[in-house]
Amino acid sequence: MSILHDTLNTQAETLRTKRAALLKERGDTVLGTVAIEQVLGGMRGVPALVCDTSSVSADEGLRIRNIPIMELTDISPEETFWLLVTGKRATAEQLAALQAEFAKHYTIPQYVVDTLKAMPKDSHPMAMLGAGLLAMERESEYRAAYDKGTGKDKLWQSMLNDAVRLIASMPGLAAAIYRIRFGKGDVLAPLTGDNDLSNNFAHMLGVSNDPTWKELVRLYLVLHSDHEGGNVSAMTSYVVSSALSDPYYSVSAAMAGLAGPLHGLANQECLRFIIDVKEKFGGVPSADQIKDFAWERLNNGQVIPGYGHAVLRVTDPRFTAFHEFAQKHNIKDDNVQIVQTIFNVVPDVLLAHGKAKNPWPNVDAYSGSLLYAYGMTEFDFYTVMFGVSRAIGLCAQMVVNRMMASPIVRPKSLTLDELAGA
Ligand code: CMX
């Protein structure tokens, strides 16, 4: 039983009542129309999902429970989860109790380590993350509760237990992937006497002893945790869990989406772009050289990774938060300078190119250069870092949706001929 159960017991009832009232009193209210260009254009802007944990606006970006992300840059991942799932800031006592629950799961089962070690040496770290999560599915209390015939309105309780365990296992799982996949030596045990999730993650990765490394890991885990309900990873877990599949299935499916270069893998692609630039020009290039390089890429039909967004129309505040971190800690290596030069040049290039609706950077344009600066140079791993964080938001969204007893997702598809005749 998690400390969160007490807080959420009454909230679950309130959410279900609110949902039922909306259905009864305003169920036939029309939210908008759907144009053919939206159907053919990846459902852009179609208001079709419920997500209470966070929202993303075009002109401001991410708010978690209506708090701008820039006001949350000093909180912990544990507090982020608490806020996402309850809508309230945790007290120090609640936070300590939640951390103690998380800490029970920082050591991942040996059979998961064995599964990772048995995978081919060239497996992508994201494939290993998905496989590790699926191996752990047998731990699901939610599936066991469903098998025992637990009623629909109670299932969220065992889902919350799974969520706590899954989120707490992610750092150990990711760190094991890092150490096994990149030949970093033994898998490291968690810290003794320190329940803090990001401290444990920073330690188990074994990347750096610099105290600010822990701060970067904490910030990284907070910034990537949630981005409302319509992005690929969130929507994937929403759909999969709507079939009452357990969180291990749902999060591993979401990780498969996060592994795509237009979504989470963009941070890996971004660092590759920066390294290509550095190698081509033998260091930090001039603004004109970056401009030519960006045009070359665009004319070749490639995207500029880390730029553009389906919703945002301004610089992503998470990019700004990383920039402030770099300034605070005086990180000015070549990669960070290249990130800055790209930022000075690429928006104008994208505007002149005339395709991208948003020429400004997203979070992925900065994050990798900071990981690299602390010695995590294996950029195939960066999306796993993203995944550890994103699991926090995915699990929060799933718990809230299960509290509401959301139904199975089943929109209508049309053939091209049906659209043509519409
Ligand atoms: N470089 C070049 N072209 C870009 C571009 C970029 N960074 N961003 C958008 N475009 C292009 C699109 O490919 C599209 O071209 P076509 O009309 O030929 O298909 C056109 O501009 C219009 O796209 P859009 O409406 O502005 O953007 P979408 O909502 O379709 O896509 C996104 C959004 C993020 C996939 C896109 O901006 C992109 O590919 N960016 C680069 C990859 C990236 O940074 N992804 C990370 C996003 C954050 C995350 O999810 O983690």
Side-chain angles (χ1 to χ4, degrees):
M1 203 48 147
S2 159
I3 168 87
L4 275 164
H5 281 94
D6 293 340
T7 310
L8 294 180
N9 263 329
T10 44
Q11 224 162 304
E13 190 60 43
T14 311
L15 274 177
R16 277 198 297 277
T17 310
K18 200 168 161 185
R19 180 177 179 277
L22 257 175
L23 265 176
K24 189 166 171 234
E25 290 153 24
R26 307 207 44 220
D28 56 0
T29 301
V30 176
L31 292 177
T33 51
V34 180
I36 286 180
E37 66 177 345
Q38 289 175 295
V39 177
L40 293 178
M43 296 191 269
R44 209 66 88 253
V46 178
L49 302 164
V50 182
C51 173
D52 260 8
T53 56
S54 67
S55 56
V56 178
S57 64
D59 57 352
E60 186 194 42
L62 174 63
R63 276 175 177 252
I64 290 183
R65 292 288 187 169
N66 212 22
I67 306 175
I69 189 66
M70 290 305 277
E71 290 175 25
L72 296 170
T73 53
D74 59 348
I75 71 173
S76 65
E78 298 89 313
E79 189 178 352
T80 309
F81 181 61
W82 186 286
L83 175 62
L84 284 164
V85 89
T86 67
K88 299 184 188 73
R89 303 291 294 264
T91 64
E93 294 74 36
Q94 287 169 328
L95 200 53
L98 183 63
Q99 276 188 336
E101 280 171 24
F102 275 133
K104 289 180 201 156
H105 308 292
Y106 290 156
T107 303
I108 57 167
Q110 183 58 38
Y111 68 82
V112 178
V113 177
D114 294 341
T115 302
L116 299 175
K117 284 186 174 164
M119 291 185 76
K121 296 278 169 270
D122 59 354
S123 301
H124 193 281
M126 284 302 282
M128 296 174 80
L129 182 61
L133 281 165
L134 285 177
M136 257 192 280
E137 191 277 333
R138 60 187 287 284
E139 314 270 344
S140 175
E141 284 185 38
Y142 175 81
R143 177 159 64 85
Y146 181 83
D147 288 347
K148 268 196 294 185
T150 304
K152 251 165 80 173
D153 58 342
K154 297 261 181 323
L155 276 175
W156 68 268
Q157 296 173 342
S158 47
M159 178 172 268
L160 178 59
N161 291 344
D162 276 8
V164 167
R165 186 182 200 129
L166 191 155
I167 293 167
S169 302
M170 287 295 272
L173 174 57
I177 292 168
Y178 182 64
R179 298 190 67 78
I180 292 166
R181 174 64 175 73
F182 299 105
K184 299 286 176 182
D186 291 343
V187 171
L188 299 175
L191 295 161
T192 43
D194 183 350
N195 288 341
D196 184 278
L197 185 138
S198 40
N199 283 354
N200 273 279
F201 188 25
H203 160 76
M204 287 189 282
L205 285 165
V207 168
S208 167
N209 291 323
D210 188 322
T212 62
W213 164 242
K214 287 182 179 166
E215 197 186 328
L216 176 63
V217 171
R218 180 197 59 72
L219 180 66
Y220 193 102
L221 294 185
V222 172
L223 293 183
H224 292 81
S225 60
D226 207 37
H227 218 227
E228 69 163 49
N231 64 77
V232 168
S233 49
M235 195 165 77
T236 302
S237 65
Y238 181 84
V239 174
V240 174
S241 69
S242 83
L244 301 189
S245 299
D246 65 57
Y248 293 91
Y249 284 128
S250 308
V251 176
S252 83
M255 291 303 119
L258 197 70
L262 296 188
H263 188 25
L265 202 83
N267 62 12
Q268 156 178 348
E269 299 287 300
C270 248
L271 221 276
R272 198 187 299 281
F273 179 57
I274 290 165
I275 301 290
D276 284 352
V277 165
K278 194 162 68 176
E279 279 172 4
K280 181 171 166 116
F281 299 106
V284 183
S286 67
D288 281 344
Q289 284 172 317
I290 295 249
K291 194 174 169 183
D292 292 346
F293 192 71
W295 273 113
E296 206 179 290
R297 206 180 152 100
L298 291 171
N299 292 336
N300 202 23
Q302 292 169 282
V303 297
I304 307 292
Y307 281 74
H309 201 271
V311 178
L312 277 168
R313 295 294 175 261
V314 289
T315 295
D316 189 337
R318 302 169 300 168
F319 176 94
T320 309
F322 277 135
H323 179 59
E324 288 180 1
F325 178 92
Q327 285 193 313
K328 179 176 165 197
H329 298 295
N330 210 18
I331 301 169
K332 289 184 179 154
D333 64 11
D334 283 0
N335 295 338
V336 169
Q337 287 184 54
I338 292 172
V339 168
Q340 190 58 48
T341 317
I342 293 174
F343 178 51
N344 295 338
V345 171
V346 159
D348 282 343
V349 172
L350 283 173
L351 279 173
H353 185 242
K355 272 190 163 183
K357 293 191 187 69
N358 174 35
W360 301 106
N362 58 61
V363 67
D364 296 325
Y366 220 120
S367 54
S369 64
L370 294 180
L371 298 175
Y372 200 97
Y374 282 88
M376 184 182 273
T377 54
E378 302 80 4
F379 40 86
D380 275 0
F381 185 72
Y382 292 175
T383 314
V384 176
M385 296 289 294
F386 193 156
V388 173
S389 171
R390 183 48 59 93
I392 297 170
L394 301 175
C395 285
Q397 291 192 19
M398 281 188 282
V399 170
V400 173
N401 283 316
R402 202 48 36 230
M403 288 198 292
M404 284 188 219
S406 298
I408 189 165
V409 176
R410 199 357 179 143
K412 176 79 187 106
S413 64
L414 300 166
T415 64
L416 275 180
D417 285 341
E418 283 171 326
L419 281 177

